[in-house]
Amino acid sequence: MHNLKFTALVLCAGLFALQSAHAEKADSSKPIELSADRGTLDQNNGVTVWDGSVVVNQGTLQLKADHVVVTRNTSGQQTLLATGKPATFRQKVEGKNEYIDGKGNRIDYDSLSGVTVLTGNAFVKRGQDSVAGNVITYNTQTELYQVSGSNPQTTGAAKGRVTVILQPKTEEKK
């Protein structure tokens, strides 16, 4: 099982590092627009809770979920928890006409560590390449992906498996 996780880690690191993919840098300086059926803002404790068809847009980044909780501590560190069936995100790759799409039943993000974790039917696609598993952990600072297979209690052919699809690399025309 350890060998399977290591192999998936190497494949996924190669998948997303092929062309040094970075999210659109300008997105972080854009305003955040959020819409939902209802929300609660607790400014004293730095917690906002959004429910019902939640859509968050910031530049080219779009997140959709059933429920989103954002916390912010006094030093400005933020965490985000999005859940849905599934929760999804999409963001443009810096300098390319290409997007990274992801989904999972749960998406956790920590702004301090730069780590995003997609859990439950997790799937990430960039161009024609994709990776799927039960949990996908992505460090936005190091661009390292880790993927683990389905729940160990799963039975049948899919038990503990991850799937990676890599397209052949072609030389770009000048």
Side-chain angles (χ1 to χ4, degrees), residues 42-111:
D42 181 347
Q43 291 185 327
N44 288 332
N45 292 311
V47 178
T48 59
V49 179
W50 306 96
D51 283 304
S53 300
V54 182
V55 178
V56 180
N57 289 302
Q58 184 178 24
T60 67
L61 173 65
Q62 182 177 69
L63 173 85
K64 293 182 179 180
D66 296 330
H67 178 79
V68 174
V69 177
V70 179
T71 60
R72 183 178 198 167
N73 66 19
T74 54
S75 64
Q77 176 190 358
Q78 295 183 359
T79 60
L80 176 137
L81 164 64
T83 57
K85 296 291 182 195
T88 64
F89 74 87
R90 180 169 223 231
Q91 188 167 27
K92 187 175 181 300
V93 176
E94 177 70 27
K96 299 194 179 293
N97 189 22
E98 185 173 45
Y99 285 82
I100 295 175
D101 294 285
K103 65 181 179 178
N105 295 340
R106 177 181 174 129
I107 300 173
D108 290 277
Y109 174 72
D110 183 315
S111 68

Short mmCIF file of all heavy atoms in Angstrom, two decimals, residues 42-111:
data_model
loop_
_atom_site.label_atom_id
_atom_site.label_comp_id
_atom_site.label_asym_id
_atom_site.label_seq_id
_atom_site.Cartn_x
_atom_site.Cartn_y
_atom_site.Cartn_z
N ASP A 42 -19.77 36.55 11.69
CA ASP A 42 -19.42 36.84 13.08
C ASP A 42 -18.05 37.52 13.05
O ASP A 42 -17.01 36.87 13.11
CB ASP A 42 -19.37 35.54 13.89
CG ASP A 42 -19.03 35.77 15.35
OD1 ASP A 42 -18.59 36.89 15.71
OD2 ASP A 42 -19.19 34.81 16.13
N GLN A 43 -18.05 38.86 12.94
CA GLN A 43 -16.80 39.59 12.81
C GLN A 43 -15.96 39.56 14.07
O GLN A 43 -14.74 39.63 14.00
CB GLN A 43 -17.08 41.02 12.37
CG GLN A 43 -17.59 41.07 10.93
CD GLN A 43 -17.75 42.48 10.42
OE1 GLN A 43 -18.08 43.38 11.17
NE2 GLN A 43 -17.52 42.66 9.14
N ASN A 44 -16.59 39.44 15.24
CA ASN A 44 -15.83 39.37 16.49
C ASN A 44 -14.97 38.11 16.57
O ASN A 44 -13.87 38.14 17.10
CB ASN A 44 -16.76 39.44 17.70
CG ASN A 44 -17.35 40.82 17.88
OD1 ASN A 44 -16.74 41.81 17.48
ND2 ASN A 44 -18.53 40.88 18.47
N ASN A 45 -15.49 37.01 16.07
CA ASN A 45 -14.77 35.74 16.13
C ASN A 45 -14.12 35.37 14.79
O ASN A 45 -13.45 34.34 14.70
CB ASN A 45 -15.70 34.62 16.58
CG ASN A 45 -16.13 34.80 18.02
OD1 ASN A 45 -15.30 35.04 18.89
ND2 ASN A 45 -17.42 34.73 18.27
N GLY A 46 -14.32 36.18 13.76
CA GLY A 46 -13.71 35.93 12.47
C GLY A 46 -14.24 34.71 11.76
O GLY A 46 -13.49 34.00 11.07
N VAL A 47 -15.54 34.44 11.89
CA VAL A 47 -16.14 33.25 11.27
C VAL A 47 -17.32 33.67 10.41
O VAL A 47 -18.18 34.43 10.84
CB VAL A 47 -16.63 32.24 12.34
CG1 VAL A 47 -17.30 31.04 11.69
CG2 VAL A 47 -15.48 31.80 13.23
N THR A 48 -17.32 33.18 9.16
CA THR A 48 -18.48 33.37 8.31
C THR A 48 -18.96 32.00 7.85
O THR A 48 -18.15 31.12 7.55
CB THR A 48 -18.17 34.25 7.08
OG1 THR A 48 -17.14 33.63 6.32
CG2 THR A 48 -17.73 35.63 7.48
N VAL A 49 -20.27 31.83 7.83
CA VAL A 49 -20.87 30.56 7.44
C VAL A 49 -21.88 30.85 6.33
O VAL A 49 -22.73 31.74 6.48
CB VAL A 49 -21.58 29.88 8.64
CG1 VAL A 49 -22.23 28.57 8.21
CG2 VAL A 49 -20.60 29.65 9.78
N TRP A 50 -21.79 30.12 5.24
CA TRP A 50 -22.65 30.31 4.09
C TRP A 50 -23.32 29.00 3.73
O TRP A 50 -22.67 27.95 3.69
CB TRP A 50 -21.84 30.83 2.90
CG TRP A 50 -21.06 32.05 3.26
CD1 TRP A 50 -19.77 32.13 3.66
CD2 TRP A 50 -21.57 33.38 3.31
NE1 TRP A 50 -19.43 33.42 3.95
CE2 TRP A 50 -20.52 34.22 3.74
CE3 TRP A 50 -22.81 33.95 3.02
CZ2 TRP A 50 -20.66 35.58 3.88
CZ3 TRP A 50 -22.95 35.32 3.17
CH2 TRP A 50 -21.89 36.12 3.59
N ASP A 51 -24.62 29.04 3.46
CA ASP A 51 -25.37 27.83 3.15
C ASP A 51 -26.24 28.01 1.92
O ASP A 51 -26.74 29.11 1.67
CB ASP A 51 -26.29 27.46 4.32
CG ASP A 51 -25.55 26.80 5.46
OD1 ASP A 51 -24.89 25.77 5.21
OD2 ASP A 51 -25.62 27.32 6.59
N GLY A 52 -26.43 26.93 1.19
CA GLY A 52 -27.36 26.90 0.08
C GLY A 52 -26.81 27.45 -1.21
O GLY A 52 -26.71 28.66 -1.37
N SER A 53 -26.41 26.59 -2.11
CA SER A 53 -25.93 26.99 -3.44
C SER A 53 -24.89 28.10 -3.35
O SER A 53 -25.02 29.15 -3.99
CB SER A 53 -27.09 27.42 -4.34
OG SER A 53 -28.00 26.36 -4.49
N VAL A 54 -23.86 27.87 -2.58
CA VAL A 54 -22.81 28.87 -2.36
C VAL A 54 -21.92 28.97 -3.60
O VAL A 54 -21.49 27.96 -4.14
CB VAL A 54 -21.95 28.52 -1.13
CG1 VAL A 54 -20.90 29.61 -0.88
CG2 VAL A 54 -22.81 28.30 0.10
N VAL A 55 -21.67 30.20 -4.05
CA VAL A 55 -20.77 30.46 -5.17
C VAL A 55 -19.80 31.55 -4.73
O VAL A 55 -20.22 32.62 -4.30
CB VAL A 55 -21.53 30.91 -6.44
CG1 VAL A 55 -20.54 31.20 -7.57
CG2 VAL A 55 -22.54 29.86 -6.87
N VAL A 56 -18.49 31.24 -4.82
CA VAL A 56 -17.45 32.20 -4.47
C VAL A 56 -16.62 32.45 -5.72
O VAL A 56 -16.13 31.50 -6.34
CB VAL A 56 -16.54 31.67 -3.34
CG1 VAL A 56 -15.47 32.70 -2.99
CG2 VAL A 56 -17.35 31.28 -2.11
N ASN A 57 -16.48 33.72 -6.10
CA ASN A 57 -15.67 34.10 -7.26
C ASN A 57 -14.59 35.08 -6.81
O ASN A 57 -14.86 36.00 -6.05
CB ASN A 57 -16.52 34.79 -8.33
CG ASN A 57 -17.45 33.82 -9.02
OD1 ASN A 57 -17.02 32.84 -9.60
ND2 ASN A 57 -18.74 34.09 -8.94
N GLN A 58 -13.38 34.86 -7.32
CA GLN A 58 -12.29 35.80 -7.13
C GLN A 58 -11.40 35.72 -8.36
O GLN A 58 -10.64 34.77 -8.53
CB GLN A 58 -11.46 35.51 -5.87
CG GLN A 58 -10.39 36.58 -5.64
CD GLN A 58 -9.58 36.34 -4.38
OE1 GLN A 58 -9.47 35.22 -3.90
NE2 GLN A 58 -9.00 37.41 -3.86
N GLY A 59 -11.54 36.70 -9.23
CA GLY A 59 -10.82 36.65 -10.50
C GLY A 59 -11.26 35.43 -11.30
O GLY A 59 -12.45 35.24 -11.53
N THR A 60 -10.30 34.59 -11.69
CA THR A 60 -10.65 33.40 -12.47
C THR A 60 -11.03 32.22 -11.58
O THR A 60 -11.43 31.17 -12.08
CB THR A 60 -9.48 32.96 -13.38
OG1 THR A 60 -8.40 32.49 -12.57
CG2 THR A 60 -9.04 34.08 -14.29
N LEU A 61 -10.88 32.37 -10.26
CA LEU A 61 -11.22 31.28 -9.33
C LEU A 61 -12.71 31.27 -9.06
O LEU A 61 -13.31 32.30 -8.75
CB LEU A 61 -10.47 31.45 -8.00
CG LEU A 61 -10.86 30.49 -6.89
CD1 LEU A 61 -10.50 29.06 -7.25
CD2 LEU A 61 -10.21 30.90 -5.59
N GLN A 62 -13.31 30.08 -9.19
CA GLN A 62 -14.72 29.93 -8.83
C GLN A 62 -14.85 28.67 -7.98
O GLN A 62 -14.34 27.60 -8.33
CB GLN A 62 -15.62 29.80 -10.05
CG GLN A 62 -17.09 29.69 -9.65
CD GLN A 62 -18.02 29.64 -10.84
OE1 GLN A 62 -18.02 28.66 -11.57
NE2 GLN A 62 -18.77 30.71 -11.02
N LEU A 63 -15.53 28.80 -6.85
CA LEU A 63 -15.81 27.69 -5.94
C LEU A 63 -17.32 27.58 -5.80
O LEU A 63 -17.99 28.61 -5.60
CB LEU A 63 -15.17 27.95 -4.58
CG LEU A 63 -15.53 26.94 -3.49
CD1 LEU A 63 -14.60 25.74 -3.57
CD2 LEU A 63 -15.44 27.58 -2.12
N LYS A 64 -17.84 26.36 -5.90
CA LYS A 64 -19.27 26.12 -5.69
C LYS A 64 -19.42 25.01 -4.66
O LYS A 64 -18.71 24.00 -4.72
CB LYS A 64 -19.95 25.69 -7.00
CG LYS A 64 -19.99 26.76 -8.05
CD LYS A 64 -20.71 26.27 -9.30
CE LYS A 64 -20.78 27.35 -10.36
NZ LYS A 64 -21.48 26.90 -11.57
N ALA A 65 -20.34 25.21 -3.71
CA ALA A 65 -20.55 24.23 -2.65
C ALA A 65 -21.94 24.41 -2.04
O ALA A 65 -22.61 25.41 -2.29
CB ALA A 65 -19.49 24.40 -1.56
N ASP A 66 -22.34 23.44 -1.24
CA ASP A 66 -23.60 23.53 -0.51
C ASP A 66 -23.42 24.33 0.78
O ASP A 66 -24.33 25.02 1.22
CB ASP A 66 -24.12 22.13 -0.17
CG ASP A 66 -24.46 21.31 -1.40
OD1 ASP A 66 -24.83 21.90 -2.43
OD2 ASP A 66 -24.32 20.07 -1.34
N HIS A 67 -22.21 24.24 1.37
CA HIS A 67 -21.94 24.84 2.68
C HIS A 67 -20.48 25.29 2.71
O HIS A 67 -19.59 24.52 2.33
CB HIS A 67 -22.20 23.79 3.76
CG HIS A 67 -21.94 24.24 5.16
ND1 HIS A 67 -22.82 25.02 5.87
CD2 HIS A 67 -20.89 24.01 5.98
CE1 HIS A 67 -22.32 25.23 7.08
NE2 HIS A 67 -21.15 24.64 7.17
N VAL A 68 -20.22 26.51 3.15
CA VAL A 68 -18.85 27.03 3.24
C VAL A 68 -18.69 27.73 4.58
O VAL A 68 -19.53 28.54 4.98
CB VAL A 68 -18.54 28.02 2.09
CG1 VAL A 68 -17.18 28.67 2.29
CG2 VAL A 68 -18.61 27.33 0.73
N VAL A 69 -17.57 27.41 5.27
CA VAL A 69 -17.21 28.08 6.51
C VAL A 69 -15.82 28.67 6.31
O VAL A 69 -14.89 27.96 5.94
CB VAL A 69 -17.18 27.11 7.71
CG1 VAL A 69 -16.73 27.84 8.98
CG2 VAL A 69 -18.54 26.46 7.92
N VAL A 70 -15.68 29.98 6.54
CA VAL A 70 -14.39 30.64 6.44
C VAL A 70 -14.06 31.22 7.81
O VAL A 70 -14.88 31.91 8.42
CB VAL A 70 -14.41 31.78 5.39
CG1 VAL A 70 -13.05 32.47 5.32
CG2 VAL A 70 -14.82 31.25 4.03
N THR A 71 -12.85 30.89 8.30
CA THR A 71 -12.40 31.46 9.58
C THR A 71 -11.15 32.27 9.32
O THR A 71 -10.36 31.96 8.44
CB THR A 71 -12.11 30.36 10.62
OG1 THR A 71 -11.09 29.50 10.11
CG2 THR A 71 -13.34 29.56 10.95
N ARG A 72 -11.00 33.34 10.10
CA ARG A 72 -9.83 34.21 9.99
C ARG A 72 -9.37 34.55 11.39
O ARG A 72 -10.15 35.07 12.19
CB ARG A 72 -10.20 35.47 9.22
CG ARG A 72 -9.04 36.38 8.99
CD ARG A 72 -9.46 37.58 8.18
NE ARG A 72 -8.27 38.19 7.63
CZ ARG A 72 -8.28 39.09 6.69
NH1 ARG A 72 -9.42 39.50 6.19
NH2 ARG A 72 -7.16 39.61 6.25
N ASN A 73 -8.08 34.28 11.68
CA ASN A 73 -7.58 34.60 13.00
C ASN A 73 -7.04 36.03 13.02
O ASN A 73 -7.04 36.72 12.00
CB ASN A 73 -6.53 33.57 13.48
CG ASN A 73 -5.27 33.58 12.65
OD1 ASN A 73 -4.95 34.54 11.94
ND2 ASN A 73 -4.51 32.50 12.74
N THR A 74 -6.56 36.47 14.17
CA THR A 74 -6.13 37.85 14.33
C THR A 74 -4.92 38.21 13.47
O THR A 74 -4.70 39.37 13.16
CB THR A 74 -5.81 38.16 15.80
OG1 THR A 74 -4.87 37.19 16.28
CG2 THR A 74 -7.07 38.10 16.66
N SER A 75 -4.12 37.21 13.08
CA SER A 75 -2.96 37.49 12.23
C SER A 75 -3.31 37.43 10.75
O SER A 75 -2.43 37.62 9.90
CB SER A 75 -1.82 36.51 12.54
OG SER A 75 -2.22 35.19 12.23
N GLY A 76 -4.58 37.17 10.42
CA GLY A 76 -5.01 37.18 9.03
C GLY A 76 -5.02 35.83 8.34
O GLY A 76 -5.43 35.72 7.20
N GLN A 77 -4.57 34.78 9.04
CA GLN A 77 -4.61 33.45 8.44
C GLN A 77 -6.06 33.01 8.26
O GLN A 77 -6.88 33.20 9.16
CB GLN A 77 -3.88 32.45 9.34
CG GLN A 77 -3.98 31.03 8.83
CD GLN A 77 -3.46 30.00 9.83
OE1 GLN A 77 -2.99 30.34 10.90
NE2 GLN A 77 -3.56 28.74 9.47
N GLN A 78 -6.35 32.46 7.10
CA GLN A 78 -7.70 32.02 6.81
C GLN A 78 -7.74 30.53 6.53
O GLN A 78 -6.82 29.97 5.96
CB GLN A 78 -8.26 32.75 5.60
CG GLN A 78 -8.44 34.22 5.81
CD GLN A 78 -9.07 34.90 4.61
OE1 GLN A 78 -9.36 34.28 3.60
NE2 GLN A 78 -9.26 36.19 4.70
N THR A 79 -8.83 29.91 6.95
CA THR A 79 -9.11 28.54 6.57
C THR A 79 -10.49 28.52 5.94
O THR A 79 -11.37 29.33 6.29
CB THR A 79 -9.08 27.56 7.76
OG1 THR A 79 -10.05 27.96 8.72
CG2 THR A 79 -7.69 27.53 8.40
N LEU A 80 -10.66 27.62 4.98
CA LEU A 80 -11.93 27.49 4.30
C LEU A 80 -12.31 26.03 4.31
O LEU A 80 -11.47 25.16 4.05
CB LEU A 80 -11.82 27.98 2.86
CG LEU A 80 -13.06 27.80 2.00
CD1 LEU A 80 -13.31 29.03 1.17
CD2 LEU A 80 -12.93 26.59 1.10
N LEU A 81 -13.56 25.74 4.61
CA LEU A 81 -14.12 24.40 4.54
C LEU A 81 -15.35 24.49 3.65
O LEU A 81 -16.27 25.24 3.95
CB LEU A 81 -14.50 23.87 5.92
CG LEU A 81 -15.43 22.66 5.94
CD1 LEU A 81 -14.77 21.44 5.31
CD2 LEU A 81 -15.87 22.36 7.36
N ALA A 82 -15.33 23.75 2.54
CA ALA A 82 -16.47 23.72 1.62
C ALA A 82 -16.94 22.27 1.50
O ALA A 82 -16.12 21.36 1.33
CB ALA A 82 -16.07 24.24 0.24
N THR A 83 -18.25 22.07 1.61
CA THR A 83 -18.80 20.73 1.44
C THR A 83 -19.92 20.77 0.42
O THR A 83 -20.59 21.78 0.24
CB THR A 83 -19.32 20.15 2.78
OG1 THR A 83 -20.31 21.04 3.31
CG2 THR A 83 -18.20 19.97 3.78
N GLY A 84 -20.11 19.64 -0.24
CA GLY A 84 -21.16 19.54 -1.25
C GLY A 84 -21.18 18.15 -1.83
O GLY A 84 -20.40 17.28 -1.48
N LYS A 85 -22.04 17.95 -2.77
CA LYS A 85 -22.18 16.66 -3.45
C LYS A 85 -22.01 16.82 -4.94
O LYS A 85 -22.92 16.56 -5.70
CB LYS A 85 -23.54 16.03 -3.12
CG LYS A 85 -23.74 15.69 -1.68
CD LYS A 85 -22.85 14.55 -1.25
CE LYS A 85 -23.14 14.23 0.21
NZ LYS A 85 -22.16 13.43 0.83
N PRO A 86 -20.88 17.22 -5.44
CA PRO A 86 -19.65 17.58 -4.75
C PRO A 86 -19.49 19.09 -4.61
O PRO A 86 -20.25 19.85 -5.19
CB PRO A 86 -18.57 17.05 -5.69
CG PRO A 86 -19.15 17.29 -7.06
CD PRO A 86 -20.65 17.04 -6.89
N ALA A 87 -18.46 19.51 -3.89
CA ALA A 87 -17.99 20.89 -3.91
C ALA A 87 -16.99 20.96 -5.06
O ALA A 87 -16.25 20.00 -5.29
CB ALA A 87 -17.32 21.25 -2.58
N THR A 88 -16.99 22.06 -5.81
CA THR A 88 -16.12 22.15 -6.99
C THR A 88 -15.35 23.45 -7.00
O THR A 88 -15.76 24.43 -6.39
CB THR A 88 -16.95 22.07 -8.30
OG1 THR A 88 -17.82 23.21 -8.38
CG2 THR A 88 -17.76 20.79 -8.38
N PHE A 89 -14.22 23.45 -7.73
CA PHE A 89 -13.51 24.69 -7.97
C PHE A 89 -12.94 24.67 -9.37
O PHE A 89 -12.73 23.62 -9.97
CB PHE A 89 -12.39 24.93 -6.94
CG PHE A 89 -11.18 24.07 -7.13
CD1 PHE A 89 -10.16 24.45 -7.99
CD2 PHE A 89 -11.07 22.86 -6.47
CE1 PHE A 89 -9.05 23.65 -8.17
CE2 PHE A 89 -9.96 22.05 -6.65
CZ PHE A 89 -8.95 22.44 -7.51
N ARG A 90 -12.68 25.87 -9.89
CA ARG A 90 -12.06 26.04 -11.20
C ARG A 90 -11.21 27.29 -11.14
O ARG A 90 -11.63 28.31 -10.60
CB ARG A 90 -13.13 26.20 -12.27
CG ARG A 90 -12.55 26.38 -13.66
CD ARG A 90 -13.66 26.27 -14.70
NE ARG A 90 -13.14 25.48 -15.77
CZ ARG A 90 -13.19 25.83 -17.05
NH1 ARG A 90 -13.80 26.94 -17.39
NH2 ARG A 90 -12.67 25.07 -17.97
N GLN A 91 -9.98 27.21 -11.70
CA GLN A 91 -9.11 28.38 -11.74
C GLN A 91 -8.20 28.31 -12.95
O GLN A 91 -7.71 27.24 -13.32
CB GLN A 91 -8.27 28.47 -10.46
CG GLN A 91 -7.49 29.77 -10.38
CD GLN A 91 -6.91 30.01 -9.00
OE1 GLN A 91 -6.63 29.08 -8.24
NE2 GLN A 91 -6.73 31.27 -8.65
N LYS A 92 -7.96 29.47 -13.55
CA LYS A 92 -7.10 29.57 -14.72
C LYS A 92 -5.64 29.39 -14.32
O LYS A 92 -5.22 29.84 -13.26
CB LYS A 92 -7.28 30.94 -15.40
CG LYS A 92 -6.56 31.08 -16.72
CD LYS A 92 -6.90 32.42 -17.37
CE LYS A 92 -6.22 32.59 -18.70
NZ LYS A 92 -4.78 32.53 -18.66
N VAL A 93 -4.89 28.72 -15.19
CA VAL A 93 -3.45 28.54 -15.00
C VAL A 93 -2.75 29.81 -15.48
O VAL A 93 -3.07 30.34 -16.55
CB VAL A 93 -2.95 27.31 -15.79
CG1 VAL A 93 -1.44 27.18 -15.68
CG2 VAL A 93 -3.63 26.04 -15.29
N GLU A 94 -1.80 30.28 -14.70
CA GLU A 94 -1.07 31.51 -15.02
C GLU A 94 -0.43 31.43 -16.41
O GLU A 94 0.29 30.48 -16.73
CB GLU A 94 0.03 31.75 -13.97
CG GLU A 94 0.90 32.96 -14.23
CD GLU A 94 0.18 34.28 -14.05
OE1 GLU A 94 -0.78 34.36 -13.27
OE2 GLU A 94 0.58 35.25 -14.70
N GLY A 95 -0.73 32.44 -17.25
CA GLY A 95 -0.09 32.56 -18.55
C GLY A 95 -0.53 31.57 -19.60
O GLY A 95 0.09 31.48 -20.66
N LYS A 96 -1.57 30.81 -19.35
CA LYS A 96 -2.04 29.81 -20.32
C LYS A 96 -3.55 29.90 -20.46
O LYS A 96 -4.24 30.33 -19.55
CB LYS A 96 -1.67 28.40 -19.86
CG LYS A 96 -0.17 28.21 -19.71
CD LYS A 96 0.16 26.75 -19.59
CE LYS A 96 1.65 26.54 -19.47
NZ LYS A 96 2.40 26.89 -20.63
N ASN A 97 -4.04 29.46 -21.59
CA ASN A 97 -5.48 29.38 -21.79
C ASN A 97 -5.92 27.99 -21.34
O ASN A 97 -6.37 27.18 -22.13
CB ASN A 97 -5.83 29.64 -23.26
CG ASN A 97 -7.32 29.78 -23.44
OD1 ASN A 97 -8.05 30.09 -22.49
ND2 ASN A 97 -7.78 29.52 -24.65
N GLU A 98 -5.73 27.71 -20.05
CA GLU A 98 -5.97 26.39 -19.49
C GLU A 98 -6.47 26.55 -18.06
O GLU A 98 -6.11 27.51 -17.38
CB GLU A 98 -4.64 25.62 -19.51
CG GLU A 98 -4.71 24.20 -19.09
CD GLU A 98 -3.37 23.51 -19.30
OE1 GLU A 98 -2.33 24.09 -18.94
OE2 GLU A 98 -3.39 22.40 -19.82
N TYR A 99 -7.30 25.62 -17.63
CA TYR A 99 -7.88 25.68 -16.29
C TYR A 99 -7.56 24.43 -15.50
O TYR A 99 -7.37 23.36 -16.07
CB TYR A 99 -9.40 25.85 -16.37
CG TYR A 99 -9.81 27.24 -16.76
CD1 TYR A 99 -9.81 27.63 -18.10
CD2 TYR A 99 -10.18 28.17 -15.81
CE1 TYR A 99 -10.17 28.91 -18.47
CE2 TYR A 99 -10.54 29.46 -16.17
CZ TYR A 99 -10.54 29.82 -17.50
OH TYR A 99 -10.89 31.09 -17.85
N ILE A 100 -7.53 24.58 -14.18
CA ILE A 100 -7.48 23.46 -13.26
C ILE A 100 -8.87 23.34 -12.66
O ILE A 100 -9.42 24.32 -12.15
CB ILE A 100 -6.43 23.69 -12.14
CG1 ILE A 100 -5.03 23.75 -12.74
CG2 ILE A 100 -6.52 22.58 -11.10
CD1 ILE A 100 -3.95 24.10 -11.73
N ASP A 101 -9.45 22.16 -12.76
CA ASP A 101 -10.77 21.89 -12.21
C ASP A 101 -10.63 20.82 -11.13
O ASP A 101 -9.85 19.87 -11.29
CB ASP A 101 -11.71 21.37 -13.29
CG ASP A 101 -12.01 22.41 -14.35
OD1 ASP A 101 -12.78 23.33 -14.04
OD2 ASP A 101 -11.46 22.31 -15.46
N GLY A 102 -11.36 20.97 -10.04
CA GLY A 102 -11.31 19.97 -8.98
C GLY A 102 -12.66 19.82 -8.32
O GLY A 102 -13.51 20.72 -8.38
N LYS A 103 -12.83 18.65 -7.70
CA LYS A 103 -14.07 18.43 -6.96
C LYS A 103 -13.84 17.39 -5.88
O LYS A 103 -12.91 16.58 -5.95
CB LYS A 103 -15.20 18.00 -7.88
CG LYS A 103 -15.01 16.65 -8.55
CD LYS A 103 -16.17 16.33 -9.46
CE LYS A 103 -15.95 14.99 -10.14
NZ LYS A 103 -17.09 14.64 -11.00
N GLY A 104 -14.67 17.45 -4.87
CA GLY A 104 -14.65 16.49 -3.77
C GLY A 104 -15.85 16.75 -2.89
O GLY A 104 -16.46 17.81 -2.97
N ASN A 105 -16.18 15.79 -2.06
CA ASN A 105 -17.29 16.01 -1.14
C ASN A 105 -16.94 17.06 -0.09
O ASN A 105 -17.81 17.68 0.49
CB ASN A 105 -17.68 14.70 -0.45
CG ASN A 105 -18.23 13.69 -1.44
OD1 ASN A 105 -18.67 14.04 -2.52
ND2 ASN A 105 -18.18 12.43 -1.06
N ARG A 106 -15.62 17.24 0.11
CA ARG A 106 -15.14 18.23 1.08
C ARG A 106 -13.85 18.84 0.54
O ARG A 106 -12.98 18.13 0.03
CB ARG A 106 -14.87 17.54 2.42
CG ARG A 106 -14.30 18.44 3.47
CD ARG A 106 -14.05 17.65 4.75
NE ARG A 106 -13.36 18.49 5.71
CZ ARG A 106 -13.73 18.67 6.96
NH1 ARG A 106 -14.78 18.03 7.42
NH2 ARG A 106 -13.05 19.45 7.76
N ILE A 107 -13.73 20.16 0.65
CA ILE A 107 -12.51 20.87 0.26
C ILE A 107 -12.08 21.71 1.46
O ILE A 107 -12.85 22.54 1.95
CB ILE A 107 -12.73 21.78 -0.97
CG1 ILE A 107 -13.18 20.95 -2.18
CG2 ILE A 107 -11.45 22.56 -1.28
CD1 ILE A 107 -13.57 21.79 -3.39
N ASP A 108 -10.85 21.48 1.93
CA ASP A 108 -10.27 22.25 3.03
C ASP A 108 -9.09 23.04 2.49
O ASP A 108 -8.28 22.49 1.75
CB ASP A 108 -9.76 21.33 4.14
CG ASP A 108 -10.87 20.65 4.90
OD1 ASP A 108 -11.41 21.27 5.82
OD2 ASP A 108 -11.19 19.49 4.57
N TYR A 109 -8.98 24.31 2.88
CA TYR A 109 -7.86 25.14 2.46
C TYR A 109 -7.33 25.93 3.64
O TYR A 109 -8.11 26.49 4.41
CB TYR A 109 -8.26 26.10 1.33
CG TYR A 109 -7.15 27.06 0.96
CD1 TYR A 109 -6.03 26.61 0.28
CD2 TYR A 109 -7.20 28.38 1.34
CE1 TYR A 109 -4.98 27.47 -0.03
CE2 TYR A 109 -6.16 29.26 1.04
CZ TYR A 109 -5.06 28.79 0.35
OH TYR A 109 -4.03 29.65 0.05
N ASP A 110 -6.01 25.99 3.77
CA ASP A 110 -5.36 26.75 4.83
C ASP A 110 -4.42 27.75 4.17
O ASP A 110 -3.47 27.35 3.50
CB ASP A 110 -4.58 25.80 5.74
CG ASP A 110 -3.93 26.52 6.92
OD1 ASP A 110 -3.33 27.59 6.72
OD2 ASP A 110 -4.02 25.99 8.03
N SER A 111 -4.66 29.05 4.36
CA SER A 111 -3.87 30.07 3.67
C SER A 111 -2.43 30.13 4.18
O SER A 111 -1.53 30.50 3.44
CB SER A 111 -4.53 31.46 3.82
OG SER A 111 -4.48 31.90 5.15
#
